[in-house]
Every structure is written in C-alpha cells, then in structure tokens.
Amino acid sequence: MSPTICTFNDSAHRAQVIALWEAVFGYETAHNRPALAIEKKLAVEDGLFFVAIIDDKIIGTIMAGYDGHRGWIYSVAVHPDYQKQGVGSKLVTHAERALIARGCMKVNLQIVAGNESVTAFYASLGYAVEPRVSMGKRIQENITP
C-alpha cells in the first residue's frame, strides 16, 4: 500500500511524529529534541513539513527549508516496518517538488559521517557528496531546557 503524503498538522500528527523520531533517530542533544524541533519548524510557517500516512498511522516524515537560494532536507524518517519500500524516496520527491515550486535551484542535506546506507539511499536519488566542510554553532539561548 502506498502512503499518502500531506502537510504536517500539529494537533493530528505531533504525538505520532515524536514517537517515530524517537524510535528512528534516538537523540542525544537538546537541540534535536522532537518537540523543540517541531515548535521551531512550525514557527517558520513555510508549509515544508510533510508526513507519510498509511491507515491513519504516520510512517514517515520529512522537513524541508528554503532561504530563497538553496533548499535543505531534514528529518527524513521512515518507520522500520516500512523501510526499503519506497516511502523515503516518495517523501524526498515530494519535498523536492515543493522546493522547486518555490524557485529553489539546489537542494542540500547533511548525513552523519559513517552512515553508508543513508548515503547510498540519497545517491540513488541523484545526490552526491560534495567537497564541503559542514560547520555548526549551537545558540544555547534558543535551546530550551
């Protein structure tokens, strides 16, 4: 059965998304806590947070972002029972189409080093490793305890 992909609805989807992310991602740092990530994404009000649903069950998620130049893909998660069935590909394609509709010229994403299976997944969708150094800085005052 193919999932339906729709825009995240906070009241209908939040609890299931949090449970999915905790199961798929784990989370070791405060800035990645699911509830906080959802709050920050909803505050942007860009309509780029999508869920995959089968029989009223959230089986996948993807968030995208667009700054007017580049697009980003985040939080691609597929429930383990539905992995390797095309759900992730369908989510990425859906997010890419939403970014393209906004005028996006390039989509970026980041993968934790050493995660070869995820690297292979994105390579199968046309993404390539680029010679870049990814740097980050956490802004502690925006990360609530």
Side-chain angles (χ1 to χ4, degrees):
M1 173 180 275
S2 183
T4 299
I5 297 180
C6 63
T7 302
F8 175 84
N9 176 301
D10 193 33
S11 62
H13 301 145
R14 178 183 284 259
Q16 288 188 62
V17 168
I18 289 172
L20 175 67
W21 286 356
E22 288 173 345
V24 172
F25 297 135
Y27 289 118
E28 299 172 7
T29 57
H31 75 282
N32 281 331
R33 283 192 320 269
L36 178 61
I38 291 170
E39 289 300 321
K40 297 291 186 181
K41 182 60 176 171
L42 293 179
V44 176
E45 297 182 3
D46 63 4
L48 293 172
F49 186 0
F50 306 104
V51 293
I53 302 172
I54 292 180
D55 296 328
D56 296 322
K57 178 182 176 186
I58 302 229
I59 62 156
T61 66
I62 189 166
M63 286 197 294
Y66 182 57
D67 63 13
H69 182 64
R70 287 188 178 90
W72 284 87
I73 290 178
Y74 311 89
S75 303
V76 178
V78 176
H79 189 281
D81 292 346
Y82 295 90
Q83 291 177 0
K84 301 192 186 304
Q85 296 178 32
V87 176
S89 298
K90 189 171 182 179
L91 283 162
V92 171
T93 299
H94 188 88
E96 287 174 341
R97 287 183 183 144
L99 291 167
I100 290 165
R102 287 167 169 78
C104 182
M105 299 178 285
K106 182 175 189 273
V107 179
N108 294 330
L109 56 88
Q110 295 178 323
I111 301 168
V112 175
N115 198 341
E116 286 79 18
S117 65
V118 172
T119 303
F121 165 72
Y122 285 114
S124 76
L125 298 175
Y127 289 82
V129 174
E130 297 179 326
R132 308 283 187 271
V133 173
S134 179
M135 297 177 70
K137 178 181 178 181
R138 294 189 184 126
I139 309 301
Q140 200 60 43
E141 65 259 28
N142 288 327
I143 303 170
T144 56

